[in-house]
Coordinates of all heavy atoms in Angstrom, one line a residue:
M205 N 0.9 -1.2 0.0 CA 0.0 0.0 0.0 C 0.9 1.2 0.0 O 1.8 1.3 0.8 CB -0.9 0.0 1.3 CG -1.9 1.1 1.3 SD -2.9 1.2 2.8 CE -4.0 -0.1 2.7
P206 N 0.6 2.2 -0.9 CA 1.4 3.4 -0.9 C 1.3 4.2 0.4 O 0.3 4.1 1.1 CB 0.9 4.2 -2.1 CG 0.1 3.2 -2.9 CD -0.3 2.1 -2.0
V207 N 2.3 5.0 0.7 CA 2.4 5.7 1.9 C 1.2 6.7 2.1 O 0.6 6.8 3.1 CB 3.7 6.5 2.0 CG1 3.7 7.4 3.3 CG2 4.9 5.5 2.0
I208 N 0.8 7.4 1.0 CA -0.3 8.3 1.0 C -1.6 7.6 1.3 O -2.4 8.1 2.2 CB -0.4 9.1 -0.3 CG1 0.9 10.0 -0.4 CG2 -1.6 10.0 -0.3 CD1 1.0 10.8 -1.6
A209 N -1.9 6.5 0.7 CA -3.1 5.7 0.9 C -3.1 5.2 2.4 O -4.2 5.3 3.0 CB -3.2 4.6 0.0
K210 N -2.0 4.8 2.9 CA -2.0 4.3 4.3 C -2.2 5.5 5.2 O -3.0 5.3 6.2 CB -0.6 3.7 4.5 CG -0.4 3.0 5.9 CD 0.9 2.4 6.0 CE 1.1 1.7 7.3 NZ 2.4 1.0 7.5
T211 N -1.7 6.6 4.9 CA -1.9 7.8 5.8 C -3.4 8.2 5.8 O -4.0 8.5 6.8 CB -1.1 9.0 5.3 OG1 0.3 8.6 5.3 CG2 -1.3 10.2 6.2
V212 N -4.0 8.2 4.6 CA -5.5 8.5 4.5 C -6.3 7.5 5.3 O -7.2 7.9 6.1 CB -5.9 8.6 3.1 CG1 -7.4 8.7 3.0 CG2 -5.2 9.7 2.4
V213 N -6.0 6.2 5.2 CA -6.7 5.2 5.9 C -6.6 5.4 7.5 O -7.5 5.3 8.2 CB -6.3 3.8 5.5 CG1 -6.9 2.7 6.4 CG2 -6.7 3.5 4.1
L214 N -5.4 5.7 7.9 CA -5.1 5.9 9.3 C -5.8 7.1 9.8 O -6.4 7.1 10.9 CB -3.6 6.0 9.6 CG -2.9 4.7 9.5 CD1 -1.3 4.9 9.7 CD2 -3.3 3.7 10.5
L215 N -5.9 8.2 9.0 CA -6.6 9.4 9.4 C -8.1 9.1 9.5 O -8.7 9.6 10.5 CB -6.3 10.5 8.5 CG -5.0 11.2 8.6 CD1 -4.8 12.2 7.4 CD2 -4.9 12.0 9.9
I216 N -8.7 8.4 8.6 CA -10.1 8.1 8.7 C -10.4 7.2 9.9 O -11.3 7.5 10.7 CB -10.5 7.4 7.4 CG1 -10.5 8.4 6.2 CG2 -11.9 6.8 7.5 CD1 -10.7 7.7 4.9
L217 N -9.6 6.3 10.2 CA -9.8 5.4 11.4 C -9.6 6.2 12.7 O -10.4 6.0 13.6 CB -8.8 4.2 11.3 CG -9.1 3.2 10.3 CD1 -8.0 2.1 10.3 CD2 -10.4 2.5 10.5
S218 N -8.7 7.1 12.7 CA -8.5 7.9 13.9 C -9.7 8.8 14.1 O -10.1 9.1 15.3 CB -7.2 8.7 13.9 OG -7.2 9.7 13.0
N219 N -10.2 9.4 13.1 CA -11.4 10.3 13.2 C -12.6 9.5 13.7 O -13.4 10.0 14.5 CB -11.7 10.9 11.8 CG -10.8 12.1 11.6 OD1 -10.2 12.6 12.5 ND2 -10.7 12.4 10.3
I220 N -12.8 8.3 13.2 CA -13.9 7.5 13.6 C -13.8 7.1 15.1 O -14.7 7.2 15.9 CB -14.0 6.2 12.8 CG1 -14.5 6.5 11.4 CG2 -15.0 5.2 13.5 CD1 -14.4 5.4 10.4
F221 N -12.5 6.8 15.5 CA -12.3 6.4 16.9 C -12.5 7.6 17.8 O -13.2 7.5 18.9 CB -10.8 5.9 17.1 CG -10.4 5.7 18.5 CD1 -10.9 4.6 19.2 CD2 -9.6 6.6 19.2 CE1 -10.5 4.4 20.5 CE2 -9.3 6.4 20.5 CZ -9.7 5.3 21.1
M222 N -12.1 8.8 17.4 CA -12.2 10.0 18.3 C -13.7 10.5 18.3 O -14.1 11.0 19.3 CB -11.3 11.1 17.7 CG -9.9 10.9 18.0 SD -9.5 10.5 19.7 CE -9.9 12.0 20.5
T223 N -14.5 10.2 17.3 CA -15.9 10.5 17.4 C -16.5 9.7 18.5 O -17.3 10.3 19.3 CB -16.6 10.2 16.0 OG1 -16.0 11.0 15.0 CG2 -18.1 10.4 16.1
F224 N -16.2 8.4 18.6 CA -16.8 7.6 19.7 C -16.2 7.9 21.0 O -16.9 7.8 22.0 CB -16.7 6.2 19.3 CG -17.7 5.8 18.2 CD1 -17.2 5.5 17.0 CD2 -19.0 5.7 18.4 CE1 -18.0 5.1 15.9 CE2 -19.9 5.4 17.4 CZ -19.4 5.1 16.2
A225 N -14.9 8.4 21.0 CA -14.3 8.8 22.3 C -15.0 10.1 22.9 O -15.1 10.1 24.1 CB -12.8 9.1 22.1
I226 N -15.4 11.1 22.1 CA -16.1 12.3 22.6 C -17.4 11.8 23.2 O -17.8 12.2 24.3 CB -16.4 13.3 21.4 CG1 -15.1 13.9 21.0 CG2 -17.3 14.3 21.8 CD1 -15.1 14.7 19.7
L227 N -18.2 10.8 22.5 CA -19.4 10.3 23.0 C -19.2 9.6 24.3 O -20.1 9.6 25.2 CB -20.1 9.4 21.9 CG -21.5 9.0 22.1 CD1 -22.4 10.2 22.2 CD2 -21.9 8.1 21.0
Q228 N -18.1 8.8 24.4 CA -17.8 8.1 25.6 C -17.7 9.0 26.8 O -18.0 8.6 27.9 CB -16.5 7.3 25.4 CG -16.2 6.3 26.5 CD -15.2 6.9 27.5 OE1 -14.5 7.8 27.2 NE2 -15.2 6.3 28.7
E229 N -17.1 10.2 26.6 CA -17.0 11.1 27.8 C -18.3 11.5 28.3 O -18.5 11.6 29.5 CB -16.2 12.3 27.3 CG -14.7 12.1 27.1 CD -14.0 11.6 28.3 OE1 -14.3 12.1 29.4 OE2 -13.1 10.8 28.2
I230 N -19.3 11.7 27.5 CA -20.7 12.0 28.0 C -21.2 10.9 28.8 O -21.8 11.1 29.9 CB -21.6 12.3 26.8 CG1 -21.1 13.5 26.0 CG2 -23.0 12.5 27.2 CD1 -21.2 14.8 26.7
I231 N -21.1 9.6 28.3 CA -21.6 8.5 29.1 C -20.8 8.4 30.4 O -21.5 8.1 31.4 CB -21.4 7.2 28.2 CG1 -22.3 7.3 27.0 CG2 -21.7 6.0 29.0 CD1 -22.0 6.2 25.9
T232 N -19.5 8.6 30.4 CA -18.8 8.5 31.7 C -19.2 9.6 32.7 O -19.4 9.3 33.8 CB -17.3 8.7 31.4 OG1 -16.8 7.7 30.5 CG2 -16.4 8.7 32.6
L233 N -19.5 10.8 32.2 CA -19.9 11.8 33.1 C -21.3 11.5 33.7 O -21.6 11.7 34.8 CB -20.0 13.2 32.4 CG -18.8 14.1 32.6 CD1 -19.1 15.4 31.9 CD2 -18.5 14.3 34.0
S234 N -22.2 11.0 32.8 CA -23.5 10.7 33.3 C -23.6 9.5 34.3 O -24.5 9.4 35.1 CB -24.5 10.3 32.1 OG -24.0 9.1 31.5
V235 N -22.5 8.7 34.4 CA -22.4 7.7 35.4 C -21.6 8.1 36.6 O -22.0 7.9 37.7 CB -21.8 6.4 34.8 CG1 -21.5 5.4 35.8 CG2 -22.7 5.8 33.7
F236 N -20.5 8.9 36.3 CA -19.6 9.2 37.4 C -20.2 10.3 38.4 O -20.0 10.2 39.6 CB -18.3 9.7 36.8 CG -17.3 10.3 37.9 CD1 -16.7 9.4 38.8 CD2 -17.1 11.6 38.1 CE1 -15.8 9.8 39.7 CE2 -16.3 12.1 39.1 CZ -15.6 11.2 39.9
V237 N -20.9 11.3 37.8 CA -21.4 12.3 38.7 C -22.4 11.8 39.7 O -22.3 12.1 40.9 CB -21.9 13.5 37.9 CG1 -22.7 14.5 38.7 CG2 -20.8 14.2 37.1
P238 N -23.4 11.0 39.3 CA -24.3 10.5 40.3 C -23.6 9.5 41.3 O -23.9 9.6 42.5 CB -25.3 9.7 39.5 CG -25.3 10.3 38.2 CD -23.9 10.7 38.0
F239 N -22.6 8.8 40.8 CA -21.8 7.9 41.7 C -21.1 8.7 42.8 O -21.1 8.4 44.0 CB -20.8 7.0 40.9 CG -19.9 6.3 41.8 CD1 -20.3 5.1 42.4 CD2 -18.6 6.7 41.9 CE1 -19.4 4.4 43.2 CE2 -17.7 6.0 42.7 CZ -18.2 4.8 43.3
A240 N -20.4 9.8 42.3 CA -19.6 10.6 43.2 C -20.6 11.3 44.2 O -20.2 11.5 45.4 CB -18.8 11.7 42.5
A241 N -21.8 11.7 43.8 CA -22.7 12.5 44.6 C -23.3 11.6 45.7 O -23.4 11.9 46.9 CB -23.7 13.1 43.8
F242 N -23.8 10.4 45.2 CA -24.6 9.5 46.1 C -23.8 8.6 46.9 O -24.0 8.4 48.1 CB -25.7 8.8 45.4 CG -26.7 9.7 44.8 CD1 -26.9 9.8 43.4 CD2 -27.5 10.5 45.6 CE1 -27.8 10.6 42.8 CE2 -28.5 11.4 45.0 CZ -28.6 11.4 43.7
Y243 N -22.7 8.0 46.3 CA -21.9 7.0 47.0 C -20.8 7.6 47.8 O -20.5 7.3 48.9 CB -21.4 5.9 46.0 CG -20.7 4.8 46.7 CD1 -21.4 3.8 47.4 CD2 -19.3 4.8 46.6 CE1 -20.7 2.8 48.0 CE2 -18.6 3.7 47.2 CZ -19.3 2.8 47.9 OH -18.6 1.8 48.5
M244 N -20.1 8.5 47.2 CA -18.9 9.1 47.8 C -19.2 10.4 48.6 O -18.4 11.0 49.2 CB -17.9 9.4 46.7 CG -17.4 8.1 46.0 SD -16.2 8.5 44.7 CE -14.8 9.1 45.6
K245 N -20.5 10.8 48.5 CA -21.0 12.0 49.2 C -20.2 13.3 48.8 O -19.9 14.2 49.6 CB -20.9 11.8 50.7 CG -21.6 10.6 51.2 CD -23.1 10.7 51.0 CE -23.7 9.5 51.7 NZ -24.8 8.9 51.0
E246 N -19.8 13.4 47.6 CA -19.1 14.6 47.1 C -20.2 15.6 46.6 O -21.2 15.2 46.0 CB -18.2 14.2 45.9 CG -17.0 13.5 46.2 CD -15.9 14.4 46.9 OE1 -15.8 15.6 46.5 OE2 -15.3 13.9 47.8
P247 N -20.0 16.9 46.9 CA -20.9 17.9 46.5 C -20.8 18.0 45.0 O -19.8 18.0 44.4 CB -20.5 19.1 47.2 CG -19.1 18.9 47.6 CD -18.9 17.5 47.7
V248 N -22.0 18.2 44.4 CA -22.0 18.5 42.9 C -21.8 20.0 42.8 O -22.6 20.8 43.2 CB -23.4 18.0 42.3 CG1 -23.4 18.4 40.8 CG2 -23.6 16.6 42.5
R249 N -20.8 20.3 42.1 CA -20.4 21.7 41.9 C -20.9 22.2 40.6 O -21.1 21.5 39.7 CB -18.9 21.9 42.0 CG -18.4 21.5 43.4 CD -16.9 21.8 43.5 NE -16.4 21.4 44.9 CZ -15.8 20.3 45.2 NH1 -15.5 19.4 44.2 NH2 -15.4 20.0 46.4
L250 N -20.9 23.5 40.5 CA -21.3 24.2 39.2 C -20.4 23.9 38.1 O -20.7 23.9 36.9 CB -21.5 25.7 39.5 CG -22.3 26.5 38.4 CD1 -23.7 25.9 38.3 CD2 -22.4 27.9 38.8
N251 N -19.1 23.6 38.4 CA -18.1 23.3 37.4 C -18.5 22.0 36.7 O -18.2 21.9 35.5 CB -16.7 23.1 38.0 CG -16.1 24.4 38.6 OD1 -16.6 25.4 38.2 ND2 -15.1 24.3 39.4
Y252 N -19.1 21.1 37.3 CA -19.6 19.9 36.6 C -20.6 20.2 35.6 O -20.6 19.6 34.5 CB -20.2 18.9 37.6 CG -19.2 18.3 38.7 CD1 -19.7 17.9 39.9 CD2 -17.8 18.3 38.5 CE1 -18.8 17.4 40.9 CE2 -17.0 17.9 39.4 CZ -17.5 17.4 40.6 OH -16.6 16.9 41.6
L253 N -21.5 21.1 35.9 CA -22.5 21.5 34.9 C -21.9 22.2 33.7 O -22.2 21.8 32.6 CB -23.5 22.5 35.6 CG -24.5 23.1 34.6 CD1 -25.5 22.1 34.0 CD2 -25.3 24.2 35.3
W254 N -20.9 23.1 33.9 CA -20.3 23.8 32.8 C -19.5 22.8 31.9 O -19.5 22.8 30.7 CB -19.4 24.9 33.3 CG -20.1 26.0 34.0 CD1 -19.7 26.5 35.2 CD2 -21.3 26.7 33.6 NE1 -20.6 27.4 35.6 CE2 -21.6 27.6 34.7 CE3 -22.1 26.6 32.6 CZ2 -22.7 28.4 34.6 CZ3 -23.2 27.4 32.5 CH2 -23.5 28.3 33.5
A255 N -18.8 21.8 32.6 CA -18.1 20.8 31.8 C -19.0 19.9 31.0 O -18.8 19.6 29.8 CB -17.3 19.9 32.8
A256 N -20.1 19.6 31.6 CA -21.1 18.7 30.9 C -21.7 19.5 29.7 O -21.9 18.9 28.6 CB -22.2 18.3 31.8
L257 N -22.0 20.8 29.9 CA -22.5 21.6 28.8 C -21.5 21.7 27.6 O -21.9 21.6 26.5 CB -23.0 22.9 29.3 CG -24.3 22.9 30.1 CD1 -24.5 24.3 30.7 CD2 -25.4 22.4 29.4
C258 N -20.3 21.9 28.0 CA -19.2 22.0 26.9 C -19.1 20.7 26.2 O -19.0 20.7 24.9 CB -17.9 22.3 27.6 SG -17.8 24.0 28.1
M259 N -19.2 19.5 26.9 CA -19.1 18.2 26.2 C -20.4 18.0 25.3 O -20.3 17.4 24.2 CB -18.9 17.1 27.2 CG -17.5 17.1 27.7 SD -17.2 15.6 28.6 CE -16.1 16.1 29.8
C260 N -21.5 18.4 25.9 CA -22.7 18.2 25.0 C -22.7 19.1 23.8 O -23.1 18.7 22.7 CB -24.0 18.6 25.9 SG -24.4 17.3 27.1
G261 N -22.1 20.3 23.9 CA -21.9 21.1 22.7 C -21.0 20.5 21.7 O -21.2 20.5 20.5
A262 N -19.9 19.8 22.2 CA -19.0 19.2 21.3 C -19.6 18.0 20.6 O -19.5 17.8 19.4 CB -17.8 18.7 22.1
V263 N -20.5 17.2 21.3 CA -21.2 16.1 20.7 C -22.2 16.7 19.7 O -22.3 16.1 18.6 CB -21.9 15.3 21.8 CG1 -22.8 14.3 21.1 CG2 -20.9 14.5 22.6
F264 N -22.8 17.8 20.0 CA -23.8 18.3 19.0 C -23.1 18.7 17.7 O -23.5 18.4 16.6 CB -24.4 19.6 19.6 CG -25.2 20.4 18.6 CD1 -26.4 20.0 18.2 CD2 -24.7 21.6 18.1 CE1 -27.2 20.7 17.3 CE2 -25.4 22.3 17.2 CZ -26.6 21.9 16.8
F265 N -21.9 19.4 17.8 CA -21.2 19.8 16.6 C -20.6 18.6 15.8 O -20.5 18.7 14.6 CB -20.1 20.9 16.9 CG -20.7 22.2 17.2 CD1 -20.7 22.7 18.5 CD2 -21.4 22.9 16.3 CE1 -21.2 24.0 18.8 CE2 -21.9 24.2 16.5 CZ -21.9 24.7 17.8
V266 N -20.2 17.6 16.5 CA -19.7 16.4 15.8 C -20.8 15.7 15.0 O -20.5 15.3 13.9 CB -19.0 15.5 16.8 CG1 -18.7 14.1 16.2 CG2 -17.7 16.1 17.4
F267 N -22.0 15.6 15.6 CA -23.0 14.7 15.0 C -24.0 15.5 14.2 O -24.9 14.9 13.6 CB -23.7 13.9 16.0 CG -22.9 12.8 16.6 CD1 -22.3 12.9 17.8 CD2 -22.6 11.7 15.8 CE1 -21.5 11.9 18.4 CE2 -21.8 10.7 16.3 CZ -21.3 10.8 17.6
R268 N -23.9 16.9 14.1 CA -24.9 17.6 13.3 C -24.7 17.4 11.8 O -23.5 17.2 11.4 CB -24.9 19.1 13.7 CG -23.7 19.9 13.1 CD -23.8 21.3 13.5 NE -22.7 22.0 12.9 CZ -22.6 23.2 12.6 NH1 -23.7 24.0 12.9 NH2 -21.6 23.8 12.0
R269 N -25.7 17.6 11.1 CA -25.6 17.5 9.6 C -25.5 18.8 8.9 O -26.0 19.8 9.1 CB -26.8 16.7 9.1 CG -26.8 15.3 9.5 CD -27.9 14.6 8.9 NE -27.7 13.2 9.1 CZ -28.2 12.3 8.3 NH1 -29.0 12.6 7.3 NH2 -28.0 11.0 8.5

């Protein structure tokens, strides 16, 4: 396989992987924040809300048409 074709294939695969990695962060936050609040008795801070909104915005821009 020529070097340019291999590079293009690797870039496409990395983009697909990173698309699902952004989505994975949303899933992780939706599980971790309730776990930290209810089990570990950590206070839910406003910073968690801002971080979640930024990640939701990122997911929106990745998956919009």
Side-chain angles (χ1 to χ4, degrees):
M205 183 185 289
V207 174
I208 293 178
K210 187 176 181 180
T211 303
V212 170
V213 169
L214 288 175
L215 282 172
I216 291 170
L217 290 176
S218 70
N219 283 337
I220 292 170
F221 174 76
M222 289 308 294
T223 298
F224 288 108
I226 292 170
L227 191 59
Q228 187 264 338
E229 290 296 326
I230 298 294
I231 296 168
T232 300
L233 264 185
S234 66
V235 171
F236 176 73
V237 171
F239 172 79
F242 295 117
Y243 183 76
M244 299 176 67
K245 306 293 188 221
E246 287 288 323
V248 178
R249 298 186 178 101
L250 198 55
N251 290 345
Y252 297 155
L253 172 66
W254 299 130
L257 288 176
C258 287
M259 285 194 215
C260 287
V263 169
F264 169 76
F265 285 113
V266 166
F267 290 108
R268 77 178 180 156
R269 290 182 166 206

